[in-house]
Amino acid sequence: LLARARARLDRVAPDVLPAELEAGALVIDTRCGDDRRAKGAILGLAVLAGIVTFVGLSMMRPLYTSEARILIQNEESAFTRPTSEEREPVRSALDEQAVQSQVQVLTSRDLILQVVRDLDLVNNAAFAKDAGETLFGRLMKRIGLGRGTPESQEERAANALVDHLDVFQLSKSSVIAVEYTSGDPQLAAEIANKLADVYIGWQRSAKIEQTKDATAWLDDQIKALRKATAESEEAVEQFKTSEGLYSGTNNVTLNAQQ
């Protein structure tokens, strides 16, 4: 019986275990080994997933968002309003449509290209990473291949800048927020602040042009009024002379006597 038991090594299911024991068979229960192997496989997969996640996160570039805020003020006064509205109170706040118009100005192509030129973003390595440019592409540019025209490089840089730029009006206010997201915190702050500075400079230039136009218009009006005044004075003098008004002795007018 012992020899037969040794020769017969059966893997027995749990439901037939008692019957096999009664038959005198040598039973080896392998369930514990299977459980250990299953737990080991699960643990190995969990460790492998953790390693892959850690490597993936370590290879990802951290992103930083910098914000600049611009207060849009209403600089309209009684001198710039139509005559029919002079007696109406001047509104201190702009409506939402006016603020949204300034948002569109901030994202205009001219201002974006000005930021690209002022910060030389075409040759900025951190900005190239934001734009998704590969190391091979940067090496090709350094040796003078694949650069394209300066205009095309600036246009591509402007497109990349817009992709990471967000300009919006803060809720229930006349404040515009300018946000830029980059893997380089210093670059994110520089671009956000530079766009705000370029916008403010554009506003100042526009106001100076408006002042020049108003001054030129006033000069023309003053010249026209001076000419009209001189012609009126000359006509008055001619009328006085022809009518003999203010004549003194010897038929001499008062102006000649003076």
Side-chain angles (χ1 to χ4, degrees), residues 4-249:
R4 187 178 62 181
R6 290 178 177 176
R8 183 182 175 189
L9 298 178
D10 298 327
R11 297 183 57 169
V12 183
D15 54 347
V16 298
L17 184 59
E20 292 292 336
L21 288 176
E22 291 178 357
L26 179 62
V27 179
I28 300 177
D29 190 1
T30 60
R31 286 179 295 170
C32 294
D34 292 340
D35 292 341
R36 283 193 292 269
R37 283 194 294 271
K39 291 179 180 179
I42 294 174
L43 181 60
L45 291 175
V47 172
L48 179 61
I51 293 175
V52 172
T53 303
F54 174 78
V55 172
L57 292 176
S58 62
M59 294 178 63
M60 292 180 62
R61 193 182 182 209
L63 298 178
Y64 304 89
T65 300
S66 181
E67 181 184 82
R69 296 187 177 185
I70 305 172
L71 175 62
I72 308 299
Q73 295 179 334
N74 185 11
E75 298 183 354
E76 187 178 15
S77 64
F79 299 100
T80 59
R81 295 167 66 91
T83 307
S84 59
E85 300 180 358
E86 287 182 356
R87 295 184 181 181
E88 297 180 5
V90 178
R91 294 175 299 175
S92 58
L94 294 173
D95 56 12
E96 183 176 359
Q97 185 176 4
V99 178
Q100 288 297 325
S101 299
Q102 299 305 310
V103 171
Q104 297 301 318
V105 172
L106 271 163
T107 56
S108 64
R109 200 67 173 179
D110 291 340
L111 298 189
I112 297 298
L113 287 173
Q114 187 64 42
V115 173
V116 171
R117 298 187 188 101
D118 290 348
L119 297 180
D120 193 19
L121 296 181
V122 173
N123 300 315
N124 190 300
F127 182 78
K129 293 181 180 179
D130 293 339
E133 188 175 349
T134 62
L135 178 61
F136 178 76
R138 294 197 296 271
L139 291 176
M140 293 292 289
K141 287 174 58 178
R142 288 185 179 180
I143 63 177
L145 298 177
R147 295 182 62 91
T149 62
E151 292 78 8
S152 63
Q153 293 182 51
E154 291 180 354
E155 290 292 337
R156 289 196 296 267
N159 293 334
L161 192 153
V162 172
D163 291 339
H164 295 79
L165 180 67
D166 190 13
V167 180
F168 56 92
Q169 176 187 3
L170 297 182
S171 178
K172 297 179 181 179
S173 69
S174 298
V175 177
I176 297 177
V178 179
E179 291 185 352
Y180 187 81
T181 302
S182 172
D184 187 340
Q186 183 177 356
L187 179 63
E190 288 179 353
I191 292 179
N193 293 329
K194 174 57 68 172
L195 181 57
D197 292 340
V198 170
Y199 168 76
I200 294 174
W202 171 84
Q203 272 196 330
R204 290 174 179 172
S205 299
K207 291 175 183 177
I208 291 175
E209 292 298 325
Q210 290 178 354
T211 303
K212 290 181 179 179
D213 293 340
T215 302
W217 181 83
L218 288 175
D219 288 340
D220 294 338
Q221 295 297 315
I222 291 173
K223 291 178 180 179
L225 290 174
R226 285 177 177 174
K227 183 178 179 181
T229 301
E231 291 176 352
S232 298
E233 291 178 349
E234 183 179 358
V236 170
E237 290 296 329
Q238 291 178 357
F239 177 76
K240 290 179 180 180
T241 302
S242 62
E243 297 296 331
L245 299 177
Y246 302 110
S247 297
T249 58

